[in-house]
Amino acid sequence: MFELTAEEWTAIRLSLRIAAVATFAALPFGIATGWLLARKDFWGKSLLDSIVHLPLVLPPVVTGYLLLISFGRRGFIGSFLYDWFGFAFSFRWTGAALACGVMGFPLMVRAIRLSIEAIDQRLEAAASTLGASSIWVFATVTLPLAMSGLIAGMVLCFAKALGEFGATITFVSNIPGETQTISAAIYTYTNIPGGDAAAGRLVLIAIALALVALIVSEWFARRAGQRYHGS
Amino acid sequence: MLRVDVDKQLGAFSLSAKFEIAHGAGALFGSSGSGKTTVVNMVAGLLRPDRGRIEIDGDVLFDSEARIDQPPHRRGIGYVFQEGRLFPHMNVRANLDYGRWMSGRKRHKAVFERVVELLGIGHLLARRPGGLSGGERQRIAIGRALLMQPRLLLLDEPLASLDSDRKAEIFPYLERLRDEAGVPMIYVSHSPEEIRRIATVVVLLDNGRVARIGGTEILGASHSEFA
């Protein structure tokens, strides 16, 4: 039962790669957005907040469709990227990473924002009197103190990306070896006669990956907590 | 020489202060809510005055008319906060080195060791602030501000969060600091005893206004009124 076929291995490797790329590509935007929402007051802030959270509440198929009409080969952003850089998202694993990144983004921003809001801003003021410009204050005080939230946000985004299905399949379809992630492969196997065993194996793999992600994030969060309160 | 002439409206509280303190140990004295911290925050650049001018040794830090407002990290003013504000994610040595690190200066072993010796914090260098006593933390906060080699040291109620034993423990260090470090300082407190021991010039603040400027003898008259 636990002999995985080449196709199943491909789906697992692809899922991990897509989720990792989605997480790391989303990170700089997640930090910037989390910081903006935590610290700045500006016109349109609640609108930005809503747009960031939209993928969380929209049906994933709607998010996927919006990605298709904007980042698809004929979409207004997609055609520009293709004409100028020869770079395409549609029906490619990069498109799957984009869809997963968008879907995981709200979870990442939320965790980062909360951890930045929890930082005592008086520490940042102290750093500035010691000669740190705002960029250095951010790099040496804000970011390290937000590290537990940063890691929690990355793990959440990664886990969400691993399980993403609706937006990905709408945007980049379900192509084995290119866009067929674990979720898409399970969906395929449950639709073909005799696919139950393969689906079951992938289901167990999905559960194991999710558990590992949760344990890792818990461990990092606890370690970050100890660092500040121990001696 | 520190010259301050500032106005600031904060909600219902209005501050309008004008004073000069020549080199040496000056003090801002007044009851809580008299505007002491507001004034030092404006000197440090953490709070922007509505109007006015702040200069130190002829260098203009703030001037509303000339539209000068140097950011805190360029003012070179050391600030010891009431609550210490040590960085919890760095050990004591990294906290002490932070100012030098930010200014890009090379490590100067003799300077570092002199400050560490002056404050008696040599045995704490590898520890994290989280496990230290209030008195130890405050000594490290003083060392951290001193090691950035400031042109002026602001001490905002540095003993207020400590019990009387801890105060007695730190006070000799403050006196040594005044006599040996050679950095002009402004000591902020609502305690006449502390100011008598530390300062020579006193600016007495009352409800956002400078009530008197003079030697420590002006504390005597106001003792019952303010303390």
Side-chain angles (χ1 to χ4, degrees), chain A residues 122 128-129 132 140 227-228, chain B residues 73 83 85 89 98 128 148:
Chain A
R122 295 175 306 175
S128 73
T129 66
T140 61
R227 275 177 67 194
Y228 305 146
Chain B
H73 69 274
E83 344 76 76
R85 303 197 193 178
H89 56 300
Y98 190 85
R128 286 202 185 263
M148 67 174 278

Side-chain angles (χ1 to χ4, degrees), chain B residues 18-34:
Chain B
K18 184 174 179 180
F19 62 87
E20 287 175 8
I21 295 180
H23 270 185
L28 284 181
F29 173 74
S31 55
S32 56
S34 60

Side-chain angles (χ1 to χ4, degrees), chain A residues 47-64:
Chain A
L47 184 69
L48 175 69
D49 197 18
S50 306
I51 290 172
V52 165
H53 282 88
L54 216 49
L56 213 56
V57 288
L58 273 181
V61 64
V62 172
T63 306

Side-chain angles (χ1 to χ4, degrees), chain A residues 120-134 136-137 140-142 144-145 226-231, chain B residues 44 46 72-74 77-79 81 83 85-90 98-99 101-103 127-128 130-131 144-145 148:
Chain A
D120 187 348
Q121 282 181 259
R122 295 175 306 175
L123 292 174
E124 297 171 328
S128 73
T129 66
L130 288 161
S133 62
S134 21
W136 278 109
V137 171
T140 61
V141 178
T142 317
L145 289 176
Q226 276 169 358
R227 275 177 67 194
Y228 305 146
H229 303 299
S231 54
Chain B
L46 298 178
H73 69 274
R74 298 227 187 87
I77 295 176
Y79 196 156
F81 300 90
E83 344 76 76
R85 303 197 193 178
L86 299 178
F87 303 126
H89 56 300
M90 301 177 191
Y98 190 85
W101 189 34
M102 283 302 134
S103 66
R127 305 261 306 266
R128 286 202 185 263
R144 184 177 69 169
M148 67 174 278

Side-chain angles (χ1 to χ4, degrees), chain B residues 132-154:
Chain B
L132 304 178
S133 75
E136 289 168 336
R137 264 186 249 178
Q138 222 43 357
R139 266 144 65 197
I140 291 153
I142 293 167
R144 184 177 69 169
L146 208 53
L147 279 166
M148 67 174 278
Q149 303 184 351
R151 51 181 165 177
L152 173 70
L153 193 59
L154 304 171

Side-chain angles (χ1 to χ4, degrees), chain A residues 6-15 17-18 91-94 96 172-182 184-185 188-189:
Chain A
E7 246 180 33
E8 290 158 30
W9 269 118
T10 306
I12 293 166
R13 273 201 305 272
L14 194 59
S15 281
R17 181 168 65 175
I18 286 170
F91 308 112
R92 305 287 309 280
W93 72 270
T94 48
V172 294
S173 184
N174 183 357
I175 306 162
E178 188 65 45
T179 64
Q180 189 176 72
T181 59
I182 295 176
T188 304
Y189 285 128

Side-chain angles (χ1 to χ4, degrees), chain B residues 146-172:
Chain B
L146 208 53
L147 279 166
M148 67 174 278
Q149 303 184 351
R151 51 181 165 177
L152 173 70
L153 193 59
L154 304 171
L155 298 121
D156 184 14
E157 304 259 12
L159 308 183
S161 58
L162 307 177
D163 59 42
S164 53
D165 284 354
R166 296 292 124 192
K167 281 182 190 167
E169 166 201 320
I170 293 204
F171 225 90

